[in-house]
Amino acid sequence: GAVVSQHPSRVICKSGTSVKIECRSLDFQATTMFWYRQFPKQSLMLMATSNEGSKATYEQGVEKDKFLINHASLTLSTLTVTSAHPEDSSFYICSARDGDPYNEQFFGPGTRLTVL
Amino acid sequence: AQTVTQSQPEMSVQEAETVTLSCTYDTSESDYYLFWYKQPPSRQMILVIRQEAYKQQNATENRFSVNFQKAAKSFSLKISDSQLGDAAMYFCAYRSLFLGESNYQLIWGAGTKLIIKP
């Protein structure tokens, strides 16, 4: 299947700093990318959906000024956690898909964020 | 809105035995996809199997097969000859075939933790 990379895999930062997570589709054009947050032993919680060249659509309860998403190209989306706090510590997963409704979405390996 | 329910938080099975994970869903759509994903300790999501709702034949992938009951809105996963490497969280997911506002997003179940006993 197609490959989606995510960088970094782990990041530790101090409270109040900003952290950027990159999600790249390596061998297909990702017209849509999804950003998820996953708490321990829980399912994936969709945070936002981004379409290339458009503003991201955020799920209810997700602060758009806190979690900045940029999808400037067909292969790259970024999630920036601004002014991170310990409660933002979590596992963040991106996934990407092309525009064919019959194709699946592919997942990145995830990023473990720890805010001290 | 669509929902997906996995009522088994945890299941265990003896190595080499067969186990069935349950999933039910709710939708008013007639055409859609259903998926089973595996999330091992590495936390990389892996697609196990998918079923198109318009296909009556149950999908199979080697030791993995589904029992898709469209009228009952049930989509169970059967794992035959369970192996230690099958130990993982298993998530059932639904996806509409219509773009609309969904952008083809996945609707997830809560997950089932599968334990393989050696």
Side-chain angles (χ1 to χ4, degrees), chain A residues 32 34 36 38 42-44 46 49 51 59 91 93 97 101-105 107-109 112, chain B residues 33 35 37 39 42-45 47 50 54 89 91 95 97 102-106 108-110:
Chain A
T32 303
F34 303 92
Y36 297 92
Q38 188 179 31
Q42 292 191 23
S43 188
L44 278 68
L46 180 66
T49 302
N51 289 301
E59 295 299 302
F91 192 68
I93 302 173
R97 59 169 297 110
Y102 296 94
N103 288 345
E104 63 185 272
Q105 60 179 269
F107 289 83
R112 162 76 60 200
Chain B
Y33 281 118
F35 303 87
Y37 282 91
Q39 189 180 38
S42 68
R43 304 193 76 170
Q44 170 74 59
M45 297 295 287
L47 177 63
R50 84 174 187 180
Y54 56 87
M89 284 290 294
F91 294 98
R95 180 169 75 75
L97 264 178
S102 74
N103 273 291
Y104 303 127
Q105 68 177 248
L106 291 167
W108 297 91

Side-chain angles (χ1 to χ4, degrees), chain B residues 81-97:
Chain B
D81 185 25
S82 297
Q83 301 175 359
L84 294 177
D86 295 333
M89 284 290 294
Y90 285 81
F91 294 98
C92 179
Y94 170 103
R95 180 169 75 75
S96 174
L97 264 178

